[in-house]
Structure formats: structure tokens, C-alpha cells
Amino acid sequence: MARVADRGQLLLAAAFGLAIVLVALALVVNSVVYTGTLATTDGVGSDERAATRYHHGAVTGTRGLIATVNDRSHASHATLTRNLSTGVTQWDALAGKQYALEGAATNATLSATTNETRIGQDDPTRALTDRSGAANWTVAASVPAIYRQRYTVSRSSLTAVPPGTDCRATGDCFAVVVDNGTDTWRLFAATSPSGTDIAVEIVDPNGATTTCSVAASTATIDLTNGTLAGTACPALDVTAALDGPYTITHRRGDRARGSYRLVVEGIVPAGTAFDNDDAPYARPGVAAVTVRVRYRTADLTYETDTRVLRGGLDG
């Protein structure tokens, strides 16, 4: 069995290495096109054009590598960062050969990483509890930023609120509570008294209440784009109402079933609430990196640090 596992690890390493090589080769082609554009720019010497070309290639290459490593399963942020650093080094080794022919010494290194954690569950029939089934639990504590927070819930799983009843007061409906240690933002989700709508009630840090609803059997509640089932409900945008750091809590997670995706800045330790394979999960990712780019010839020394953001979030 150990030999089979070793072969599997070798295959994964080879696949990752091949992905890096393909990214690097694509960027060499892009660099040629980019050079053709720069060659038409007046007042820029050949060394300056080459340095700009190398810088552009390093940034584009790093962005591609971030997408590559984020798309793979990693046991920890440390492993992910190590693979990304190795990818930048390998890209530089490949791209640097082209510039060496032009008499230039190049170097691109990873100098800083901004971690993110991807939290969620994909089973639309599972309650929004932690792994042990606890209905009230902390999803993420004191994270600097929320990049995405989105829930897709079924109407049939939500608490049916009789006319004249306030489930905020009774505590009978699913709630998302976000606070920064000073102010608190709350979302309550339930079935409308008519039984036909999914209704969400938002209480902002000042105590103002907003209600949005949609006639649907399932609906996506987007807390970073401020929409309910794709329709604008600006009060849902928690990041507009509240500054970080954020602590995100689920209340009465047993009163809602569905899937959700959260992406937050920082490292959320795996514990009783999370598992990398089970639901809910917490998986490491990279939000941004800083790359140090150096380009040197006999007549030019160019060095800069550039922050490279990952591409948009899918799904």
C-alpha cells in the first residue's frame, strides 16, 4: 500500500510540475507579444523595455500559478505557500534563460503571502450546523476580511413564521451573526407567513431593520454582493455595514438546510467544526502574494516589489 501511495504522490508532484511548465511556456509566448507592443513605445530604451517585459511576465505568471495552487487540495497554508514559491522559482528558471541570451540577469522570488481560508459545505440537504451537529457555532473568528459569503437554502427547511410572530425574539429561525468586537450585524432567514416566500430580515449595527423576500423553493442569499436570488437587497452586504475584523457565527443552524461558500482572509484552524473532506470544510488558499522582481544588465539595475492578487472566485 505504501508503494501505491508513493506512486500517487509522485504523480501529483509531476502533474503540478507540468502545470507550472505549461504556465511558464504560455507566458514566454505572451512576453513576445508584449515586447512587440513595447517596441513601438517612443523614448524607452531596449533595457527598459526588456525589464518591463520581464516584470509583466513575472506578474502574469504568478497570477496563473496562484490559480493553479488554489485549484489543488493542500493540507495546510504552509504547504500551499511552499508549492507556490517553488512554482515562481521554476518559472524564473525557465524565463530567465531567454533573458540570459540578451545579457541580463533576472530573479523573481516570493517575498510575502496573504492567506485565505475557503469554508463551506456542498450538500444542499445538510443542516447548517458544525460537524458535530451543534446548531450554534463560530464559523470564523477575528478574520481581517470577508471576500465571499453566500448561502443557498431551501424554503422547506426554514422555520415557518406564523403571522404576528417575530422569530428574532423567539430565536427559532436560522441566523447569521457577524460582529467586529464593537458592532453587530444580524441576518434572520425564515419562511414567510404565506408559506410561499423565503424571507430574510437584516438588522444593521444601528438597529435598523430591512426585510427582503422572494417566492422560490430555494434561494441564494449573497452577503457580499447584497442580493437575494439575484435581486438587489443592499442591506445584505455585510462588508458595507461593518468593518473588520469579523467573527462569523451561525445560530440555529438546525433550522436551515443548504450549501454555502465563505472565503475569508487569514487562517481558520481546522478543529471540531471542520474537516478537509467532510462537511463543513475549511480549505487553505492564497488571496495575494508579493513578488520581488530583479532585472540587471551592464547598464541597468531594476528591482521592485509587486503585489499580485488571485483572480476572481468561481462558484
Side-chain angles (χ1 to χ4, degrees):
M1 293 296 293
R3 291 182 179 178
V4 172
D6 290 343
R7 285 198 297 270
Q9 291 176 355
L10 287 172
L11 287 172
L12 286 173
F16 180 70
L18 178 59
I20 292 171
V21 170
L22 291 174
V23 169
L25 290 175
L27 290 164
V28 168
V29 174
N30 286 341
S31 293
V32 172
V33 175
Y34 192 67
T35 304
T37 302
L38 288 174
T40 65
T41 303
D42 294 334
V44 180
S46 60
D47 283 352
E48 288 83 354
R49 289 197 302 271
T52 303
R53 178 185 66 188
Y54 177 73
H55 184 193
H56 171 79
V59 169
T60 308
T62 301
R63 186 171 292 112
L65 290 168
I66 292 173
T68 298
V69 297
N70 275 343
D71 193 43
R72 284 162 170 74
S73 178
H74 298 278
S76 67
H77 285 91
T79 299
L80 190 154
T81 299
R82 184 168 57 250
N83 288 341
L84 184 56
S85 180
T86 298
V88 172
T89 300
Q90 291 181 355
W91 176 88
D92 179 64
L94 287 170
K97 292 178 181 178
Q98 174 186 353
Y99 293 94
L101 296 175
E102 302 173 10
T106 62
N107 182 246
T109 56
L110 193 70
S111 62
T113 302
T114 299
N115 291 308
E116 67 182 21
T117 301
R118 302 176 176 211
I119 304 166
Q121 67 180 41
D122 300 329
D123 182 356
T125 66
R126 189 185 184 280
L128 305 187
T129 60
D130 76 358
R131 287 185 66 211
S132 67
N136 302 328
W137 61 290
T138 299
V139 181
S142 299
V143 293
I146 301 173
Y147 299 130
R148 164 167 291 173
Q149 189 169 3
R150 187 169 73 184
Y151 300 81
T152 300
V153 296
S154 65
R155 185 183 65 211
S156 61
S157 70
L158 299 174
T159 302
V161 180
T165 302
D166 184 354
C167 73
R168 288 187 297 154
T170 61
D172 288 336
C173 54
F174 171 65
V176 179
V177 181
V178 183
D179 75 83
N180 60 7
T182 302
D183 297 313
T184 302
W185 179 98
R186 295 178 176 88
L187 161 74
F188 301 89
T191 303
S192 65
S194 67
T196 60
D197 292 0
I198 293 174
V200 295
E201 190 172 49
I202 306 101
V203 182
D204 73 14
N206 297 318
T209 301
T210 303
T211 301
C212 296
S213 61
V214 60
S217 57
T218 62
T220 297
I221 309 167
D222 196 321
L223 277 58
T224 42
N225 286 327
T227 59
L228 174 62
T231 300
C233 178
L236 280 172
D237 187 350
V238 63
T239 57
L242 201 65
D243 294 326
Y246 304 96
T247 293
I248 303 166
T249 304
H250 285 180
R251 299 292 182 192
R252 296 310 306 261
D254 57 331
R255 295 299 180 95
R257 294 181 181 275
S259 59
Y260 60 93
R261 298 283 180 90
L262 285 78
V263 183
V264 298
E265 182 178 326
I267 298 173
V268 177
T272 57
F274 297 116
D275 186 84
N276 279 338
D277 298 315
D278 205 351
Y281 55 77
R283 295 169 182 160
V286 169
V289 301
T290 299
V291 178
R292 179 159 296 171
V293 176
R294 300 181 181 91
Y295 182 94
R296 188 174 69 251
T297 66
D299 301 318
L300 174 70
T301 298
Y302 175 82
E303 181 174 338
T304 187
D305 288 336
T306 300
R307 183 171 169 84
V308 183
L309 304 177
R310 56 134 166 74
L313 293 166
D314 297 326

